[in-house]
């Protein structure tokens, strides 16, 4: 399942999508139907190359042209964007410590129809636990 996660620049989890999307769908589709697009409407957003051309995503890395090198200015831009994307990846890893959401650990085994309610429960517990850290 594809779960969308929004973080602040410091890598702290700000939101987790309430609507899981089948894992075979593109990230752009998952973002559109997850509910995060509406939640982040008035905020500046950055994402990885899976979100190129997506409405509501302000900044994405520059894709390397086929068979050519990336222009030095574009490479510098990608390098400046990299720490932000790394913070997001750390946040994703932190959420995956809840093993039900981890591909390596828990592997959700209940009926797929119940995945959304499990995600809502884990999200609530995640933010509740963060309030007492």
């Amino acid at each position: 399942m594809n779960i969308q996660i929004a973080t602040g620049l410091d890598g702290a989890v700000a939101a987790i999508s309430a609507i899981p999307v089948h894992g075979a769908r593109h990230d752009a589709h998952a973002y559109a139907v997850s509910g995060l697009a509406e939640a982040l409407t008035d905020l500046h957003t950055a994402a990885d190359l899976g979100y190129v051309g997506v409405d509501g995503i302000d900044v994405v890395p520059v894709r390397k042209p086929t068979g050519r090198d990336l222009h030095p200015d574009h490479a510098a831009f990608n390098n400046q964007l990299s720490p932000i994307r790394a913070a997001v990846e750390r946040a994703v890893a932190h959420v995956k410590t809840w093993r039900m959401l981890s591909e390596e650990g828990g592997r959700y085994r209940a009926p797929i129809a119940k995945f959304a309610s499990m995600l809502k429960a884990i999200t609530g517990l995640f933010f509740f636990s963060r309030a007492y850290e």
Side-chain angles (χ1 to χ4, degrees), residues 11-129:
V13 176
I16 300 173
S17 64
I19 302 168
V21 178
H22 190 275
R25 297 302 306 259
H26 194 275
D27 284 339
H29 171 78
Y31 178 73
V33 300
S34 70
L36 279 185
E38 293 82 27
L40 303 176
T41 300
D42 297 329
L43 301 173
H44 294 291
T45 55
D48 63 25
L49 286 171
Y51 298 86
V52 170
V54 174
D55 288 337
I57 302 294
D58 301 322
V59 180
V60 293
V62 178
R63 187 181 306 265
K64 180 180 176 270
T66 305
R68 297 188 328 220
D69 289 333
L70 198 57
H71 187 276
D73 291 343
H74 293 162
F77 172 78
N78 286 354
N79 284 336
Q80 290 173 349
L81 185 58
S82 189
I84 295 170
R85 293 178 49 228
V88 172
E89 293 303 327
R90 284 191 299 277
V92 169
H94 186 73
V95 170
K96 283 186 173 184
T97 62
W98 292 75
R99 293 186 61 107
M100 282 289 255
L101 300 178
S102 171
E103 293 176 7
E104 297 81 26
R107 294 253 187 212
Y108 183 74
R109 289 181 176 86
I112 202 70
K114 294 184 179 184
F115 189 89
S117 60
M118 180 276 305
L119 177 61
K120 185 183 269 188
I122 293 221
T123 300
L125 289 170
F126 176 83
F127 285 111
F128 179 78
S129 72

